[in-house]
Amino acid sequence: MSCKINSLNPPIPCRFYTKKPKITKIKTIILCSSDEQQKTITTSTAIETPTTEAYSVSFKTKRACKLGISWYPDFEYDAEGGMGTGPGAKVTENQANNNDLLVSFDLETLYIPPLTSSTTKFLGLPLPPLLKIDIVPQALQGSVNQESGKVDLEFKAKFLFSIGSLYKAPPLLVKTVLTTEESKGTVKSGRGKRLDEAGNCTLVGVATVDPIDDFLLNSFLSLPTECIAILNAEISIASSSS
């Protein structure tokens, strides 16, 4: 199964430039009169390639988040304790977007709390005790602009629905762009908040979720449908050289 991204501002792919400037040798041949030998002069020319500044980036999710799917009212979600770290790189080249920090979070450090009776409420009531929705991240990468506060992070994760040992559904694959700007689908939409001086922000992402090989969950969620994530987060950036 698959799902579609609903975003007007996809993130910039994370490509870190680490190569040193190339030295290119150029041969120049000078033709002289017949009584002189042909001369060859070899010169070296340095061709500059972009250099990078390295950073360490940390990501934390906070309370008062929301998750919504289909026609159901949004779930109130306490994501306190979610975290992740990863390398960041700022490319120092003459481009209009050279204030963007490209970041890719390490999946081994990336954790997002599951939806359970202790973290999630629906219509003001906790989820039933046995119901659990695990969130298994597959990717979190994109760009952070410290100057403007704009953040665009491509997010991909598996959502695993289970009811104790009685029922386990195939994973729902959700792929979206978590942004501080507007994320808009056909039915659902939301707008985030840009980074403030303390690194706090609100990330919003809308995705279209396709059906899976499970009649019960397809019917319960009315798949295909749209889902939305509204996450309060904190992003901290430190120079690796400091």
Side-chain angles (χ1 to χ4, degrees):
M1 63 160 290
S2 63
C3 70
K4 301 174 184 177
I5 301 175
N6 293 289
S7 175
L8 300 178
N9 300 294
I12 301 172
C14 296
R15 297 179 180 177
F16 300 163
Y17 296 88
T18 57
K19 295 182 180 180
K20 296 180 180 180
K22 294 181 180 179
I23 304 299
T24 302
K25 293 183 177 181
I26 301 174
K27 290 185 178 181
T28 303
I29 300 176
I30 301 177
L31 298 178
C32 305
S33 58
S34 57
D35 58 341
E36 292 183 279
Q37 294 182 348
Q38 178 176 293
K39 296 181 181 180
T40 301
I41 301 174
T42 302
T43 59
S44 297
T45 303
I47 300 178
E48 295 184 0
T49 58
T51 58
T52 61
E53 299 176 21
Y55 294 83
S56 176
V57 185
S58 64
F59 173 82
K60 295 181 180 179
T61 52
K62 306 173 75 174
R63 297 181 178 180
C65 302
K66 290 184 178 182
L67 295 174
I69 188 166
S70 189
W71 50 269
Y72 294 103
D74 291 344
F75 292 85
E76 299 174 28
Y77 173 47
D78 180 359
E80 185 83 25
M83 64 183 69
T85 59
K90 184 179 290 185
V91 181
T92 57
E93 58 182 342
N94 294 325
Q95 291 186 355
N97 64 346
N98 62 357
N99 287 319
D100 282 347
L101 183 69
L102 306 183
V103 59
S104 180
F105 291 95
D106 187 351
L107 290 179
E108 293 184 0
T109 69
L110 194 56
Y111 167 74
I112 299 178
L115 280 70
T116 64
S117 58
S118 62
T119 63
T120 310
K121 291 183 179 181
F122 180 68
L123 295 176
L125 298 175
L127 289 184
L130 295 179
L131 178 59
K132 184 179 182 182
I133 306 173
D134 287 298
I135 303 174
V136 183
Q138 304 292 297
L140 184 63
Q141 61 184 11
S143 63
V144 179
N145 192 306
Q146 288 179 281
E147 183 175 318
S148 67
K150 181 182 177 183
V151 179
D152 286 312
L153 297 175
E154 180 186 349
F155 175 66
K156 183 168 66 173
K158 292 180 180 179
F159 284 66
L160 307 176
F161 287 71
S162 63
I163 303 176
S165 59
L166 302 175
Y167 171 75
K168 291 185 179 180
L172 282 177
L173 183 62
V174 175
K175 186 178 181 182
T176 187
V177 172
L178 295 172
T179 180
T180 53
E181 312 308 295
E182 183 181 24
S183 184
K184 189 174 182 179
T186 304
V187 178
K188 294 186 177 293
S189 64
R191 178 174 288 276
K193 293 182 180 179
R194 294 192 175 192
L195 283 171
D196 62 20
E197 294 181 355
N200 299 308
C201 65
T202 299
L203 301 171
V204 176
V206 175
T208 300
V209 185
D210 290 331
I212 59 174
D213 188 19
D214 187 287
F215 176 79
L216 179 61
L217 198 60
N218 287 344
S219 301
F220 180 69
L221 297 179
S222 301
L223 301 180
T225 190
E226 286 185 350
C227 66
I228 185 171
I230 304 173
L231 297 176
N232 290 317
E234 177 184 327
I235 299 176
S236 302
I237 301 170
S239 175
S240 296
S241 60
S242 59

